[in-house]
Amino acid sequence: MKTTKLSFLAEACKGRLLGNDNDVCGVKIDSRQAGCGDMFVAVIGENNDGHKFFEKAYENGARSFLFSDAAAAEAAAGLQGAGAVLADDTNEAFKDMAAAYLAQFDLIRIGVTGSVGKTTTKSLVAAVLSEKYRTVCTQKNYNTHLGLCMTAFLADETTQAIVFEMGMDRKGEIAG
């Protein structure tokens, strides 16, 4: 990831920046993996609410956060050296941030989807492209909307091509 100001990401998602305007050089959705330079994205899932884990991310060195819970955002922004973006919905904000971030680069962009063989096809396409271009691609089989955002943030100034693996689990999901 190209080092990016937290204020750029806040503006991209029409969020409000609280606390420090930190440099962000990585994004994580798992507080256990968040570290120095990372922005921790507090995702609300079916089983967990990432807002409950921001302190662990801070303990691990993260100083930038994306929240939809105002109390968590204010608490994090009050921590030494921390900055937080408060948005209406972290999932939507994360998508907006990823889109704005990726728009900075002139890249060959390829998306792979389907009902079977996506991960293998993605890996093969990335291998072929990497023969000529500096290429990044979806890691493992992280083909959800969150995985697409994580993949976007793998690009930097040296990246020439990016390959996304896109899963689907409901009608019309890929068309949008």
Side-chain angles (χ1 to χ4, degrees):
M1 176 177 180
K2 168 186 165 185
T3 301
T4 303
K5 284 292 196 187
L6 191 56
S7 57
F8 172 85
L9 299 172
E11 185 177 319
C13 71
K14 298 177 181 62
R16 190 175 71 173
L17 177 62
L18 305 170
N20 291 350
D21 186 12
N22 295 329
D23 287 336
V24 176
C25 55
V27 294
K28 298 289 188 295
I29 58 174
D30 184 334
S31 62
R32 298 167 296 187
Q33 296 174 353
C36 184
D38 289 333
M39 177 180 66
F40 172 65
V41 179
V43 175
I44 300 173
E46 290 182 29
N47 300 315
N48 290 306
D49 180 349
H51 295 90
K52 295 179 182 178
F53 302 102
F54 82 86
E55 290 167 325
K56 178 64 176 168
Y58 183 84
E59 288 173 18
N60 290 342
R63 296 295 181 265
S64 300
F65 303 89
L66 172 59
F67 296 115
S68 60
D69 179 290
E74 290 171 12
L79 297 171
Q80 184 175 0
V85 175
L86 178 60
D88 291 334
D89 179 314
T90 53
N91 285 312
E92 290 302 314
F94 196 29
K95 286 185 217 175
D96 292 341
M97 288 177 172
Y101 175 79
L102 205 56
Q104 300 176 94
F105 308 109
D106 182 24
L107 303 170
I108 297 168
R109 300 170 195 218
I110 296 178
V112 177
T113 191
S115 58
V116 68
K118 292 180 297 295
T119 303
T120 300
T121 303
K122 173 259 316 183
S123 296
L124 291 170
V125 169
V128 170
L129 283 171
S130 67
E131 289 295 315
K132 183 173 181 180
Y133 305 103
R134 183 163 186 293
T135 304
V136 297
C137 66
T138 302
Q139 302 299 296
K140 301 181 183 179
N141 65 339
Y142 297 156
N143 60 23
T144 66
H145 65 284
L146 295 172
L148 293 174
C149 295
M150 299 292 289
T151 300
F153 285 108
L154 293 176
D156 65 20
E157 304 94 326
T158 66
T159 306
Q160 298 172 302
I162 190 164
V163 182
F164 294 95
E165 178 182 342
M166 302 176 296
M168 64 170 280
D169 61 5
R170 58 192 160 276
K171 185 177 180 171
E173 184 174 25
I174 294 172

